[in-house]
Amino acid sequence: MAALKAEGVEHIFGIPGGANLPTYDALYDADLTHIQARHEQGAGHMAEGYAKASGRVGVAMATSGPGATNLVTAITDASMDSVPTVFITGQVRTDLIGTDGFQEADISGITLPIVKHSMMVADPRHLPDYIHAAFHIASTGRPGPVLVDVPQDLSRADIEYESASGPPDLPGYKPSTDGNIKQIRIAAKAIANAARPVIYSGGGVINANASEELRALARSDNFPLTSTLMGLGAFPAPDDQWLGMLGMHGTRAANYAMDEADLIIAVGARFDDRITGKLAEFAPRAKFIHIDVDPAEISKNVPVHIPIVGDAKKVLPKLTEEYIALGADSSRTAEWWDRIRAWQREYPLNYERNESGEIKPQAMVEAMYRATGGDAIITSDVGQHQMWAAQYYHFDRPRRWINSGGLGTMGFGLPAAIGAKVACPDETVVCLAGDGSLIMNCQELATAVRHEIPVKVFLMNNGYFGMVRQWQELFWEGRYSSVEMGPSPDWVKLAEAFGATGMRVEDTGEVEGAMRDALAAEGPVLLDVRVSPEENCYPMIPAGQAARDMVG
Amino acid sequence: MEAGTPDLIKLEDLEAASGRLSGRKHVLSILVENRPGVLARVAGLFSRRGFNIDTLAVGPTDDDSISRITLTLDGAVHPIDQVTKQLHKLVNVIKIRDMEPGETIAREMALFKVSAPVESRAEIMQFAEIFRARIVDVSRRSMTIELTGTLDKIEAFERMIRPHGLIEMVRTGEIAIARSRPDA
Ligand SMILES: Cc1cc2nc3c(=O)[nH]c(=O)nc-3n(C[C@H](O)[C@H](O)[C@H](O)COP(=O)(O)OP(=O)(O)OC[C@H]3O[C@@H](n4cnc5c(N)ncnc54)[C@H](O)[C@@H]3O)c2cc1C
Ligand SMILES: Cc1ncc(C[n+]2csc(CCOP(=O)(O)OP(=O)(O)O)c2C)c(N)n1
Ligand SMILES: [Mg+2]
């Protein structure tokens, strides 16, 4: 406990059990807040939401066996989205390990491919060192989940805590963060010679807390900028230089700009296949600068011409400075901007609007933007609603958009919102949920009620696994297979059963008002918003196709 | 002007920094912390990333806290720099050396159990002698031969001996060390 406190931990999310009884006993009178989740997966996503909202390490705990295996999805999610998290699991007593003891699961083995690092504590005297090393590894370089597995007998041992004297001794772990200055100079010169540059920024900029630095680079010469789903908010939307999100459900302006660019400046983005589509036709005219703290990301999917390994926070200011020093001619991008403006005029994001009656899902997101004044932390589940939020809620600050991108974990939104609200109690936190997703972790409504965490759940209820239905409609000849949700549950009653407030709205004219009421109400609220069931999310690049093949 | 930074950079002249496939066999010599589970991490990484290991040998080094993993893989199938970069991300991996073929001494040991009725023993022993292999066990029907050498030598011996009836073959996988520079 003392080691956790020394790491600045104030909140832990988890569930007790036999193997971590000693730890929970220590929590009983520790000066730490423990949020008792209702499923370990929920605890894990809470830790993620906490980390994403605050930039601090999120901590979740579970007992051995089923407690630990319930964490696996959250650990994988944290790994895919590079979320700084520490997972502490109980393990059976040392003498039972390997005997198929009661509630024994080889959680270190199970999680080997999905952790940044893991450790099984072997000597109780070293437990504090393990904890410090875990926090160090989770939060530095490219962040990620670290698992600490503690056998029950070892967590019982009473040890004197001596505060760590320095950084942990990890001979094989030395992230490079500075960025090679020669490479940075070459990059600046390449930019100065580019007539059709685009900045492609990603979640790494948010993680680096480098939004200001990114803006400075973009402003240094009116560079067009697009971002991934995970990078939204690092650059303000809307803005003259903002092209919108790129990728599968990005804007045409962003995707066409990537397609025609002569130089792409990738910052903290990992060339995911939702961005590149068909690799052979991805940005065929472009050379690439890639700034990333993880050397293995460079040239992993797309060969890069000017790699810069380093922390965006340190590299971007140097790059901006070097670029400005070159005094490049700004007018070189004038034609490029004409072309981009033409795409923006021709293909704005749009949908058929209506004043009353059916609620269009896009209109729901726009209402949410107005009701929150654009000033809330929004978490999301996975599906169409997630994409519409990315398109229509204009994030203008980092750490305001919290979602599951890499793993695409349905059921992420509610627990992540709880974690975010715990991290940022003064902010409004809204979970934009999907009806398919919400039920996967709806038990955490009980957590919100029990701990008085006033998150607001705006449920985009289309009666379908909408994203899957859309694919079946478009690519599988409309053969709807297991995508309808049917009438169950009654969400208002479900909310009430948990002790939360339940509300429902069915007319588009009333959505914003209902949302304002939900925001004003005390405590956790679930607002069931009945939207058009068969609306499709456009535009889109069909999987495995190229930017030019965008439809809708 | 800083040395090494050209004055002018034309985009057309930029080349992608990483050559993807080298097309040859690589021997990676990897120093790892000597801790439980490290081999599982390395092996797991290969399967998770879809890399195939051709051979793998693990052993101690002159430092107790450090072990060495020597593994070989085919650079015609795998982008070696991606493999080494992924390996480097393992916290317990301390150092990786992609051994330069011209500057490396690589050896493997193999044991061959060959069917050896009396009438063919002389010939088998002759082969063994040519290859400087040692006969380490003999029974009524078979002989066991130990051979150390380069991969080519071991494979050549295998081809010679196979027609006699190879009962079993055990190979260690290659280990390698860098050649010393001539009197530096
Ligand atoms: C239904 C669905 C649809 C989707 N559609 C889209 C879509 O249309 N468009 C889209 O963009 N995504 C989409 N995604 C998300 C997509 O799957 C990927 O998660 C996302 O594109 C990855 O974002 P990223 O490249 O910013 O990388 P992240 O996963 O955020 O990775 C961050 C990168 O930054 C690096 N980094 C971390 N810290 C630092 C630092 N301090 N300094 C420098 N670098 C750092 C990391 O090494 C890593 O390479 C979708 C997901 C779902 C579930
Ligand atoms: C845990 C999990 N299971 C299955 C999927 C596959 N999947 C992706 S989107 C989706 C439908 C989501 O439905 P809903 O939450 O209602 O969102 P909508 O698309 O309708 O907005 C499914 C089943 C997934 N991403 N995650
Ligand atoms: Mg739905």
Side-chain angles (χ1 to χ4, degrees), chain A residues 309-384:
Chain A
V309 176
D311 185 340
K313 180 107 186 156
K314 294 191 180 174
V315 172
L316 284 171
K318 294 182 203 161
L319 180 58
T320 307
E321 188 187 331
E322 293 289 336
Y323 176 74
I324 292 174
L326 295 173
D329 173 13
S330 301
S331 67
R332 72 186 188 287
T333 58
E335 265 178 53
W336 180 224
W337 270 114
D338 289 343
R339 203 153 166 71
I340 293 173
R341 296 285 178 234
W343 291 322
Q344 287 177 321
R345 273 193 308 274
E346 199 172 341
Y347 310 108
L349 283 176
N350 215 345
Y351 65 96
E352 269 178 51
R353 288 161 211 266
N354 50 324
E355 297 297 310
S356 64
E358 209 175 48
I359 305 169
K360 290 281 185 179
Q362 302 91 329
M364 171 182 169
V365 176
E366 290 185 323
M368 195 166 100
Y369 183 73
R370 290 191 303 272
T372 56
D375 187 25
I377 295 178
I378 308 290
T379 72
S380 162
D381 280 320
V382 168
Q384 291 180 313

Side-chain angles (χ1 to χ4, degrees), chain B residues 115-128:
Chain B
S115 124
V118 184
E119 58 278 15
S120 55
R121 282 197 185 175
E123 197 185 348
I124 293 172
M125 284 167 73
Q126 221 173 5
F127 282 144

Side-chain angles (χ1 to χ4, degrees), chain A residues 23-347:
Chain A
T23 312
Y24 272 84
D25 186 65
L27 267 177
Y28 184 80
D29 46 15
D31 180 19
L32 280 172
T33 308
H34 179 262
I35 311 287
Q36 171 207 340
R38 299 305 170 99
H39 187 297
E40 288 84 356
Q41 183 190 356
H45 294 320
M46 287 175 202
E48 289 189 86
Y50 183 90
K52 287 195 182 201
S54 66
R56 301 198 297 269
V57 175
V59 185
M61 293 205 302
T63 188
S64 67
T69 54
N70 270 350
L71 284 176
V72 168
T73 301
I75 298 175
T76 317
D77 195 86
S79 169
M80 293 293 268
D81 287 348
S82 307
V83 191
T85 38
V86 170
F87 295 88
I88 304 174
T89 47
Q91 182 54 275
V92 299
R93 287 197 324 261
T94 321
D95 59 312
L96 287 175
I97 288 176
T99 66
D100 303 317
F102 175 63
Q103 295 199 323
E104 179 180 8
D106 173 14
I107 195 65
S108 321
I110 290 169
T111 56
L112 264 189
I114 52 168
V115 292
K116 181 167 176 190
H117 192 52
S118 55
M119 20 208 159
M120 161 90 86
V121 178
D123 179 341
R125 283 167 305 163
H126 294 153
L127 183 57
D129 298 339
Y130 281 109
I131 298 285
H132 293 310
F135 276 76
H136 179 69
I137 294 169
S139 59
T140 52
R142 178 178 187 169
V146 178
L147 177 90
V148 186
D149 197 26
V150 193
Q152 204 249 20
D153 48 329
L154 302 189
S155 61
R156 269 188 126 99
D158 231 334
I159 51 156
E160 248 345 279
Y161 175 70
E162 290 170 39
S163 60
S165 47
D169 174 33
L170 299 162
Y173 182 72
K174 306 255 179 312
S176 30
T177 56
D178 286 341
N180 178 319
I181 188 70
K182 279 187 194 153
Q183 290 289 92
I184 294 175
R185 290 201 176 113
I186 293 176
K189 287 180 184 171
I191 300 171
N193 280 304
R196 299 189 309 279
V198 177
I199 300 176
Y200 149 47
S201 92
V205 175
I206 309 246
N207 170 57
N209 295 315
S211 302
E212 287 307 319
E213 291 77 1
L214 177 74
R215 292 169 195 209
L217 174 67
R219 303 284 187 231
S220 72
D221 204 353
N222 196 31
F223 296 121
L225 187 144
T226 176
S227 148
T228 65
L229 180 71
M230 306 316 280
L232 294 177
F235 196 78
D239 182 280
D240 268 357
Q241 285 167 255
W242 171 243
L243 306 184
M245 181 172 82
L246 82 168
M248 183 174 274
H249 289 285
T251 63
R252 275 197 166 75
N255 285 325
Y256 289 2
M258 293 291 281
D259 183 56
E260 292 193 10
D262 64 352
L263 182 71
I264 289 172
I265 307 153
V267 193
R270 58 183 176 78
F271 294 86
D272 184 82
D273 52 75
R274 296 255 146 158
I275 305 298
T276 59
K278 193 178 194 175
L279 264 182
E281 289 175 31
F282 174 64
R285 301 154 188 87
K287 306 283 171 159
F288 293 93
I289 297 170
H290 191 185
I291 302 168
D292 203 292
V293 76
D294 178 358
E297 282 305 332
I298 286 171
S299 296
K300 184 181 78 177
N301 297 340
V302 171
V304 163
H305 304 80
I306 308 174
I308 303 174
V309 176
D311 185 340
K313 180 107 186 156
K314 294 191 180 174
V315 172
L316 284 171
K318 294 182 203 161
L319 180 58
T320 307
E321 188 187 331
E322 293 289 336
Y323 176 74
I324 292 174
L326 295 173
D329 173 13
S330 301
S331 67
R332 72 186 188 287
T333 58
E335 265 178 53
W336 180 224
W337 270 114
D338 289 343
R339 203 153 166 71
I340 293 173
R341 296 285 178 234
W343 291 322
Q344 287 177 321
R345 273 193 308 274
E346 199 172 341
Y347 310 108

Side-chain angles (χ1 to χ4, degrees), chain A residues 434-436 460-466 485:
Chain A
D435 50 336
M460 185 181 284
N461 187 350
N462 55 10
Y464 278 112
F465 286 140
M485 311 296 299

